[in-house]
Amino acid sequence: MKMNQNFSTVAQRSPSELATNKVLRNTYMLLSMTLLFSGVTAMISMALSMPPMTYLISVIGAMVIAMFVLPKFANSPAGIGIVFLVTGMLGFGLGPILTMYASLPNGGNIITLSLGGTGVIFLSLSAYALTTRKNFSFLGGFLMVGFLLVLMAAIVNIFLAIPAMSLVISAVVIMIMSGFILYDTSRIIHGGETNYVLATIGLYMTIFNIFISLLQILGIMGGDD
Amino acid sequence: MDWMQIVSALALGMFVIFLFPRAKDAMQNSPKGSSSDWMGFIIPIVGIVLFIMLLIELV
C-alpha cells in the first residue's frame, strides 16, 4: 500500500518537475543568447561612437517595451523577438557608457572586473537557489519596497549628484538585484513562473543592473589611481 | 539644469508610479519568512558584499 503511494507520488511529481526543468533550461538558453546579443549590440554602439544620450533613450525605450508590450506577447513566438529587441536596445545603450569607462586610465580593468564580477554573482546565486531549492517567495514585498526606495533615492541624487550617495545607491541596487536572482530562480523552481520569456527578461534585468552598478562602484573606487 | 537630468528623473518617477501598486500588492500577499528563511537570504548577501570588497581591492 505504502509502495503504491510512493509510486503515485513519483508519478504525480514527475510531470511538474519535467515542466519546471523545461522552463529552467529554456530560460537559461534564452538568457545566454540575449546576453551574447547585447554584447554584439554594445560593440556596434561603441564602434559607431554613439553619444551619451543613447543610454537614456535606449533604457527608456526598452523599459516601455518590456513593461507594456512584452506581457501581451509573452505566450507567443513574437515574445522571443521582443526579448531580443529589448535586450539589444539595452546593450546598444551600454555602448557610450563602456566607451566612457574605457577612456579612464584603468578603464579596461574596471570593465573586465565588472563583467567577471557580474558573472560570478549571477552564477553563484543561481547555483545557491538551485541546489538548496529554498523558497524565497517571502522576499517579494521586501525586494519591491526596497527597489522603490532606491529608485526614489536615485531621483533625488540626479539633482544632488553626491558621489557617496551614488556609491550607496549602487551598492544597495546590487543587494536588491541579488535578492531578485534568488527570488526569480526560486519562483521558476517552485512553479511560480512558468513562462520562460518573462523569466528571461526578469533575470536579464537583474544582470544588467548589477553590471551597471558594479561599473559605477569600481569606477568611483578605482578613479583615484 | 541638463535636459537629460530632467528626462532621467521623469522616467524614474514614472517607473516608481508604475511599480507602486505591484509593491503594495507584493507587501500584502508575500508569505512571512521564518528566521531560518531570512538567514538563508542574509548569508549569500554577506558573501556578495565580501566579494564586492574584493573586487574594489583588485581595481
Side-chain angles (χ1 to χ4, degrees), chain A residues 52-53 56 60 63 67-68 106 109-110 113 117 120-121 125 128 134 136-142 144-145 147-148 151 154-155 158-159 174-175 178-179 182 214 217-218 221-222 225, chain B residues 1 3-9 11-13 15-20 22-24 26-27 30-34 36-41 43-45 48-49 51-52 55-56 58-59:
Chain A
M53 74 174 85
L56 186 61
I60 293 173
M63 291 308 292
M67 288 189 301
F68 300 107
N106 57 348
N109 195 20
I110 290 170
L113 281 175
V120 169
I121 291 170
L125 288 173
Y128 176 75
K134 284 180 190 287
F136 288 103
S137 58
F138 69 95
L139 287 175
F142 171 77
M144 286 298 282
V145 171
F147 190 45
L148 276 188
L151 282 176
I155 293 171
I158 285 173
F159 301 104
I174 293 178
M175 302 301 108
S178 298
L182 295 173
L214 261 184
I217 290 174
L218 299 182
M221 300 305 282
D225 287 350
Chain B
M1 188 179 289
W3 69 269
M4 277 177 66
Q5 284 178 303
I6 298 167
V7 173
S8 301
L12 284 176
F15 196 37
V16 168
I17 292 167
F18 177 79
L19 284 181
F20 187 76
R22 290 167 183 227
K24 199 175 162 189
M27 275 296 284
S30 288
K32 292 267 179 280
S34 65
S36 72
D37 286 336
W38 281 100
M39 284 309 287
F41 166 64
I43 290 168
I45 294 300
I48 298 298
V49 172
F51 177 65
I52 292 168
L55 290 179
I56 291 170
L58 291 174
V59 77

Side-chain angles (χ1 to χ4, degrees), chain A residues 102-167:
Chain A
S103 67
L104 295 174
N106 57 348
N109 195 20
I110 290 170
I111 294 171
T112 309
L113 281 175
S114 301
L115 206 55
T118 304
V120 169
I121 291 170
F122 177 73
L123 291 175
S124 56
L125 288 173
S126 300
Y128 176 75
L130 288 169
T131 52
T132 61
R133 299 186 76 84
K134 284 180 190 287
N135 190 340
F136 288 103
S137 58
F138 69 95
L139 287 175
F142 171 77
L143 293 173
M144 286 298 282
V145 171
F147 190 45
L148 276 188
L149 291 175
V150 87
L151 282 176
M152 287 190 252
I155 293 171
V156 172
N157 203 41
I158 285 173
F159 301 104
L160 298 179
I162 303 170
M165 194 167 166
S166 298
L167 202 61

Side-chain angles (χ1 to χ4, degrees), chain A residues 61-83 86 193 195-199 201-202 205, chain B residues 15 18-19 22:
Chain A
M63 291 308 292
V64 168
I65 294 170
M67 288 189 301
F68 300 107
V69 181
L70 183 62
K72 290 176 186 165
F73 294 94
N75 291 312
S76 70
I80 296 172
I82 294 169
V83 169
V86 169
E193 181 58 88
N195 186 306
Y196 70 92
V197 169
L198 295 177
I201 204 75
M205 291 296 183
Chain B
F15 196 37
F18 177 79
L19 284 181
R22 290 167 183 227

